[in-house]
Amino acid sequence: MKLYIRSSFMGMFLCFISSCLLSLGTMMVSRMTQFHPITKSFWRFAGTFLPSIFVVIYYAFKKESITDSFWPIRYDSFIVFVSLAFRSFFGCTAATLQYYSLKYMPLGDSSVICNCYPIFVTIFASVFLGEPFGGLFMLLSTMVTLCGVGIVSRPPFIFGGEVNSELLIGAGLALGCSIFMAMAIVMIRHLHQIHHCITLVGFGMFGTAEAGALAWGFNVLEFPSQDIDILKAFAIGLLSCGSQLFLIFALKCDNAGPVALVKSSDVLFAFLWQMVFIQTFPDLISIVGAIVMMSGIFLCGFRKYIDSLEENNATKKMFWFVLK
């Protein structure tokens, strides 16, 4: 995978592409209100799994070794299998929760809360992967980000008025999505030495199985019948597959924290697609909440930039306090 490790910013660039693709797919999901969220989640993972099979065939045809991580069978193989299962479970649960949240709140507001996961990624990566947390400055970034989430949620004790139960339910589902997405990204980073096609096919296979079982259990599994809905379902799957592939590449190039930071650009794309395709414009509270949340994430990224500088760099000496 040396091809992808060309600079410290390659991972962020690949993640930016991933965000663009995934947010476009989520916009399509928000427009297909006649289908159950679990059903749409099933389409997404099936659409990821099927193309990933051809990716595996391609590398097998090239006679590239892709099974070293789990064959021959040994203890490490079991760890890889379990890690792939957990990564897929976290990713599938996050997608389902986000799709559910779209029933209760607009795409832009949902994306704002769902994409506060860089803060959770930094915490989880520090605990499980040993990546640096960031001290008091990181704690400040966390608090600012959560304040942005609170503003988007519009709690009545701050903004007055009656309790909007649907908005609070949507905010809770989106926050749950954020937490599970953070755990999924940490697991991808944990599996960064595994060949990307194995990570991709494992994600699609386990996700399809989980979403399919849930859809069957709740008796909500259905397939589109109209041509436009069929095209949208295929597009959701292909965009998800492309997004996951670029995300996996990104996490091979950089740590989980910085990649998750750039992944939060989903928020900007969500508002853009919402305005362009749905003709829905965010209100002032949504804009303020998004700015506050993105400010917290920007502080996290600024600390990453300062930490990457040489010890004798003048800028690093000037902003020494962000590393405390």
Side-chain angles (χ1 to χ4, degrees):
M1 300 308 302
K2 293 181 179 179
L3 174 62
Y4 303 101
I5 308 176
R6 293 181 178 176
S7 73
S8 58
F9 296 100
M10 178 60 73
M12 295 185 176
F13 173 72
L14 294 172
C15 188
F16 187 79
I17 298 176
S18 171
S19 294
C20 178
L21 297 177
L22 184 61
S23 60
L24 189 57
T26 305
M27 185 277 299
M28 292 184 180
V29 167
S30 70
R31 298 293 291 165
M32 302 177 73
T33 55
Q34 70 272 35
F35 297 101
H36 196 277
I38 298 179
T39 295
K40 291 182 282 190
S41 182
F42 172 76
W43 297 345
R44 172 185 174 178
F45 289 100
T48 302
F49 176 54
L50 295 177
S52 68
I53 296 176
F54 293 98
V55 175
V56 172
I57 294 174
Y58 168 76
Y59 282 105
F61 180 77
K62 289 181 60 179
K63 297 183 179 180
E64 183 171 329
S65 179
I66 60 177
T67 60
D68 292 345
S69 58
F70 58 88
W71 189 267
I73 298 176
R74 55 189 185 279
Y75 175 75
D76 291 345
S77 307
F78 176 74
I79 298 299
V80 170
F81 181 83
V82 172
S83 298
L84 284 171
F86 271 109
R87 180 267 178 275
S88 303
F89 168 74
F90 294 148
C92 181
T93 304
T96 303
L97 289 174
Q98 183 180 22
Y99 294 171
Y100 261 113
S101 73
L102 294 173
K103 294 179 61 177
Y104 302 99
M105 63 196 315
L107 172 62
D109 290 353
S110 172
S111 296
V112 167
I113 300 177
C114 289
N115 284 281
C116 71
Y117 62 79
I119 300 300
F120 297 116
V121 167
T122 303
I123 296 172
F124 295 152
S126 175
V127 173
F128 298 108
L129 302 181
E131 295 184 7
F133 174 69
L136 293 177
F137 194 83
M138 191 62 213
L139 181 61
L140 173 64
S141 303
T142 303
M143 297 304 296
V144 171
T145 302
L146 294 178
C147 283
V149 173
I151 293 173
V152 174
S153 302
R154 296 171 174 81
F157 63 86
I158 296 179
F159 296 95
E162 298 181 356
V163 176
N164 188 335
S165 58
E166 287 199 353
L167 186 59
L168 291 178
I169 291 173
L173 291 168
L175 186 61
C177 165
S178 179
I179 294 174
F180 277 99
M181 180 62 72
M183 292 189 288
I185 288 180
V186 169
M187 290 304 301
I188 296 175
R189 178 59 184 170
H190 172 67
L191 294 166
H192 71 280
Q193 294 182 341
I194 307 302
H195 196 280
H196 60 271
C197 75
I198 297 300
T199 307
L200 183 65
V201 75
F203 171 71
M205 179 178 65
F206 284 109
T208 301
E210 179 184 345
L214 288 173
W216 180 80
F218 287 101
N219 196 28
V220 295
L221 182 61
E222 57 181 322
F223 297 93
S225 56
Q226 298 184 5
D227 293 343
I228 185 64
D229 290 333
I230 293 174
L231 290 175
K232 287 181 180 179
F234 272 108
I236 289 170
L238 291 176
L239 288 169
S240 173
C241 183
S243 173
Q244 289 299 315
L245 194 59
F246 279 108
L247 179 61
I248 291 168
F249 287 156
L251 287 165
K252 288 179 178 293
C253 300
D254 207 341
N255 289 335
V259 168
L261 174 70
V262 179
K263 191 72 171 61
S264 62
S265 60
D266 287 357
V267 175
L268 304 179
F269 284 117
F271 280 123
L272 176 62
W273 305 142
Q274 180 176 287
M275 290 186 291
V276 172
F277 295 104
I278 309 177
Q279 301 297 310
T280 301
F281 296 87
D283 58 22
L284 180 60
I285 295 177
S286 296
I287 293 174
V288 171
I291 291 174
V292 172
M293 196 205 79
M294 295 299 292
S295 297
I297 296 175
F298 172 78
L299 291 174
C300 176
F302 181 68
R303 186 192 182 282
K304 164 67 178 178
Y305 167 71
I306 295 299
D307 189 42
S308 67
L309 298 175
E310 298 291 338
E311 291 297 327
N312 58 352
N313 186 280
T315 304
K316 188 169 188 175
K317 292 180 180 179
M318 181 184 300
F319 293 98
W320 59 270
F321 55 90
V322 306
L323 301 177
K324 299 299 181 181

